[in-house]
Amino acid sequence: MRLHSIFIGFQSRLAKLIFVRSEMLRFKFYVLLALAASGVHAEEDPFADLKKGHPKEVGAVAERIAVCNHFAGEEPYDAERRQEIADAMKKYRCGRLDKDEAGLRKRYKDNPGVLEALQKAHDW
């Protein structure tokens, strides 16, 4: 008889544990679902506002302006950091950025939205 009551008690505790665990999993699922629905992404484009509503080439140059300005202001405090900065400057073609931006400013001289986006990129 004693063994039977121990088994019933164990069974009851196990059922409670399974219920609590399933409720926690359900809560986590709903939280993840809400985050996904809200559009929150870990890989969200930080330059989306600069690019929004503009031709692709304008968005690309605006992003390059912001990134090149960032790396140009970085301190090369050791050899590894100096190399990281040099690699980024090469990757984003910072050496020819003035020429690329001037071409866009000439092409879109009558489009104040494009000119504003390019200017905002400098302030980003």
Side-chain angles (χ1 to χ4, degrees):
M1 186 69 167
R2 173 134 169 94
L3 187 59
H4 177 64
S5 63
I6 290 173
F7 178 75
I8 297 297
F10 173 78
Q11 193 177 21
S12 174
R13 281 188 229 119
L14 182 61
K16 286 179 187 176
L17 181 64
I18 290 170
F19 175 78
V20 169
R21 181 161 170 76
S22 68
E23 288 300 309
M24 288 175 57
L25 288 173
R26 187 174 299 139
F27 174 75
K28 289 178 184 178
F29 171 76
Y30 287 127
V31 168
L32 288 173
L33 186 62
L35 286 174
S38 71
V40 175
H41 298 99
E43 298 177 20
E44 187 173 312
D45 184 1
F47 305 106
D49 288 341
L50 288 175
K51 298 175 181 181
K52 189 175 181 179
H54 301 296
K56 194 173 186 175
E57 62 185 347
V58 173
V61 169
E63 179 177 343
R64 286 175 52 211
I65 291 169
V67 171
C68 290
N69 283 344
H70 168 77
F71 281 105
E74 288 289 299
E75 188 67 35
Y77 46 80
D78 63 17
E80 182 180 347
R81 184 63 179 155
R82 185 176 295 108
Q83 189 61 49
E84 287 176 9
I85 294 169
D87 291 346
M89 299 292 270
K90 183 178 179 181
K91 176 182 176 182
Y92 289 96
R93 302 180 319 278
C94 298
R96 65 168 288 128
L97 189 55
D98 289 341
K99 183 178 179 180
D100 295 343
E101 181 183 0
L104 288 178
R105 285 186 178 276
K106 184 177 179 181
R107 182 178 308 143
Y108 294 101
K109 67 182 180 217
D110 297 326
N111 187 331
V114 167
L115 300 176
E116 183 181 346
L118 292 172
Q119 189 56 45
K120 280 184 180 179
H122 284 282
D123 300 331
W124 199 81

